Amino acid sequence: MSERLNASDSASPQPTATTMLKLESNLGLSTDLRLHEQSGIVEAQDGYTVVRTPDAPEYFFGNLLVLPQRPLISDLGRIERDFARLVGVPPRIAHRTFTWPEYPREEVDLDAFIAQGYDATLYEVLAAKPSDIVPVTSRAHVDVRPFRSQEDWDTWSAMQLGDMPNPDDVTSQRFMAHQEKAYQRLIERGFGNWWGAFIDGELAGSLGLFFLDGIGRFQSVLTGEAFRNQGICKTLVSEVTQMTAARANVFVMVADESYHAGKIYQALGFRPEARVGSLCREPA
C-alpha cells in the first residue's frame, strides 16, 4: 500500500507516521519534498518517503529514498535492495541516493559508506524571518531582477554547467535541461521566480526562490567564477528577500556544511535550524 502524489495533485505529500515525525520540523527536507511533488512523484511506502522523477531518471536527487534517520553500515544491503525495488534499477536508474534528517550537532561518521563508493554530504538548514535579514547596499552597477528571456536562461544553464565536474557530459546536460523546464513550470504556475544579478547586462549571479505556504525556499544560489569575492551573492540574496518579504514568514537556505556559502548566509541573518545527511553513489 502507498500514498501517491504527482504534479497534478494539490495536496501535500503524506509520509508515514515515523517519517513525518522527522520531516515536519526539518524545513530543508520538507520543502524539498514539496518542490519535488510539483515535477515528479512523492509517496510514502514501507517506512520510506520515495521520490521519483520519471522524465529525468539521471537526476540523482530527484530519484531517491528519504530515510527516517541516519543509516548504519549494517543497513546498507537492506536499503540498497529497497532502493532497487521502490525507485529503480539499471539501466534506467543507475545511481543510488539516500537522504535523511539530522538533528543534534554531533560528529557524524560516514566513512564506512564512503569506503563502499558513496559520496557523503552533510547540509545545514538555515532559516531567517524577513526582519532578520541584514540589508546590503547594492553597488550602483549591479542590477537585480527576475529572468526576462530565454537568453537569461541559456546564460544561466551555461554558468551552472560550468560549475559542474563534467560540464561536457551528456548526463549533466540532460539534467540541466530538465531543471530549466521544471523551474520554468514552477514560475508559470506562480510559485516564485528566478533572479539574476547583472553587471553591465552580463549575468554575474543567480538564484531561485519559490514560496510554499509562507516559506520562501531558495534554490541553486550561484555566482559566476569571474564575479566571486565581490559581494554579489550577499547583494542578490539581500535584495531578493527585501523585494519578496510580503510573501514569506520565513526564508530557508540549505548549504553544504563543508562549503563556505553557509557563513555568507549566516552573516546576512540566517541561523541554523536543522541538518540533512545524504549518500549518493553515481553510476560507474
Side-chain angles (χ1 to χ4, degrees):
M1 294 292 291
S2 66
E3 300 170 44
R4 170 172 170 163
L5 287 101
N6 56 36
S8 64
D9 294 320
S10 59
S12 297
Q14 300 294 319
T16 63
T18 302
T19 309
M20 181 180 291
L21 211 67
K22 296 289 185 181
L23 299 187
E24 64 185 3
S25 58
N26 191 306
L27 287 174
L29 273 176
S30 61
T31 51
D32 271 346
L33 292 176
R34 294 194 61 190
L35 288 171
H36 279 311
E37 74 185 44
Q38 301 304 320
S39 58
I41 299 167
V42 178
E43 61 185 353
Q45 191 167 354
D46 298 348
Y48 303 102
T49 300
V50 184
V51 176
R52 290 183 291 124
T53 308
D55 60 346
E58 297 163 323
Y59 179 10
F60 301 153
F61 282 83
N63 297 276
L64 57 80
L65 285 186
V66 183
L67 313 178
Q69 60 193 16
R70 185 194 322 152
L72 302 173
I73 190 62
S74 57
D75 298 323
L76 184 57
R78 172 179 57 80
I79 63 175
E80 286 184 334
R81 289 190 297 273
D82 288 341
F83 181 93
R85 177 171 57 88
L86 298 171
V87 181
V89 295
R92 181 170 174 79
I93 302 291
H95 68 278
R96 291 171 181 158
T97 305
F98 307 95
T99 189
W100 63 89
E102 284 280 352
Y103 286 92
R105 182 161 280 284
E106 61 184 23
E107 196 68 28
V108 177
D109 184 359
L110 298 171
D111 288 350
F113 294 97
I114 295 172
Q116 295 297 316
Y118 281 87
D119 292 323
T121 308
L122 291 170
Y123 299 92
E124 199 160 44
V125 181
L126 304 163
K129 296 178 181 177
S131 58
D132 295 334
I133 297 174
V134 178
V136 174
T137 302
S138 176
R139 300 179 185 183
H141 64 294
V142 178
D143 177 25
V144 174
R145 63 164 175 82
F147 281 9
R148 296 173 179 163
S149 66
Q150 186 58 45
E151 182 180 356
D152 289 342
W153 284 103
D154 291 344
T155 306
W156 167 82
S157 182
M159 184 183 292
Q160 293 281 336
L161 280 168
D163 201 51
M164 293 180 178
N166 300 301
D168 295 326
D169 182 71
V170 67
T171 300
S172 299
Q173 295 173 359
R174 282 197 295 258
F175 167 73
M176 284 311 308
H178 169 268
Q179 291 297 86
E180 179 178 328
K181 290 179 181 177
Y183 289 140
Q184 288 176 342
R185 285 195 294 266
L186 284 170
I187 292 167
E188 290 167 0
R189 296 170 63 193
F191 280 93
N193 225 321
W194 211 271
W195 298 78
F198 295 83
I199 297 178
D200 296 329
E202 183 177 358
L203 183 65
S206 65
L207 58 80
L209 180 58
F210 299 103
F211 297 92
L212 305 160
D213 294 333
I215 301 171
R217 172 63 195 270
F218 284 95
Q219 297 279 287
S220 300
V221 183
L222 180 65
T223 303
E225 187 174 359
F227 299 96
R228 291 173 184 170
N229 302 312
Q230 298 179 37
I232 301 298
C233 176
K234 281 186 176 180
T235 299
L236 185 57
V237 172
S238 178
E239 290 207 14
V240 170
T241 53
Q242 289 178 59
M243 293 178 187
T244 61
R247 292 192 67 177
N249 301 315
V250 62
F251 290 100
V252 175
M253 289 274 192
V254 178
D256 186 337
E257 285 191 357
S258 66
Y259 192 56
H260 70 275
K263 294 181 179 178
I264 295 175
Y265 306 141
Q266 290 190 51
L268 284 169
F270 286 82
R271 294 293 176 262
E273 293 288 331
R275 300 165 85 193
V276 175
S278 76
L279 296 168
C280 181
R281 190 162 89 176
E282 298 185 12

